[in-house]
Every structure is written in structure tokens, then in C-alpha cells.
Amino acid sequence: MTAPRHRRLSALLTLLAAASLAGAPLAAQHPIAPQALLGSWQATMHVGSFPLRLVLHIEPGPAGALDGTLVSVDQGGAAVPLEGAVRGDSVRVVMESIAASFAGRLSPDRNVIEGRWRQ
């Protein structure tokens, strides 16, 4: 596994752990290219006391957007389609079929995304 891929995998762990916290003011923008988010991201999200292992597979979409799937490993492993976009240092991923979204910001070192999961 290459170093950049390892950072991305670690980043989603932080992303989803932080997603349950109330939003806090965030620092100045550090623009990112959508390519910085490509690949597979893994995390565990806690719903009450039940941990859910999640995998996001992000790939290039049309016109600079992001496409991919969300897989909940502990809920049967079905792939849920997602669409995403990057603007400045902000990332938004929408999974319409499960009425869920994630919006957050990527840190300057590209290792942490903090934001909010909504469903």
C-alpha cells in the first residue's frame, strides 16, 4: 500500500468519527483538487453503541465531479451510489438512495476531513 493511500484511509476514520460532533468554526480554505480524494476510504461510525464499518470508493465523475459507492460492511455490503463535489477545501458527498450526505473540510495536510454526516 502506498503512503498517500494510507493517509486517505486514515482520513476517513477521522472524518466519520468527527461527523457526529457538532460543527465548529473551521480555518481558512486550502483548495484541493478532486483527485486528492480518489480511492477507497475506510471508517467505523458508531450508531449508539453499534459500530458500522464503512468503505467509500471514490472515482472521477463527469466535469470534475466525484462518483462512487458507499458500502456498509456490517449491513450486508450493498453498494450505495454516491455523488460528490469539491469546492475550495470543502467536500460534499450525497447518497440520495439512503437520504444521506456528508459535508466537511479537508485539512491543509490532506490527512483529516472534519464535517457532519446527516441521514
Side-chain angles (χ1 to χ4, degrees):
M1 183 174 286
T2 64
R5 187 169 178 85
H6 176 72
R7 285 194 306 260
R8 284 197 295 263
L9 295 174
S10 297
L12 189 60
L13 290 170
T14 303
L15 175 149
L16 289 176
S20 63
L21 302 175
L26 299 172
Q29 287 192 4
H30 303 279
I32 57 171
Q35 294 80 7
L37 300 171
L38 301 180
S40 294
W41 298 63
Q42 299 178 2
T44 300
M45 182 169 63
H46 295 276
V47 179
S49 62
F50 185 71
L52 292 176
R53 292 175 293 156
L54 303 173
V55 179
L56 284 175
H57 299 288
I58 306 290
E59 53 194 47
L66 301 171
D67 281 340
T69 56
L70 167 75
V71 176
S72 179
V73 177
D74 299 309
Q75 293 180 308
V80 176
L82 66 82
E83 293 181 359
V86 175
R87 185 175 193 176
D89 65 347
S90 297
V91 178
R92 181 164 170 79
V93 177
V94 176
M95 289 116 329
E96 288 186 13
S97 65
I98 60 170
S101 66
F102 178 83
R105 288 197 173 153
L106 187 63
S107 68
D109 64 5
R110 310 294 197 255
N111 288 325
V112 177
I113 300 174
E114 292 183 302
R116 180 173 287 170
W117 174 270
R118 293 179 188 221
Q119 187 172 19

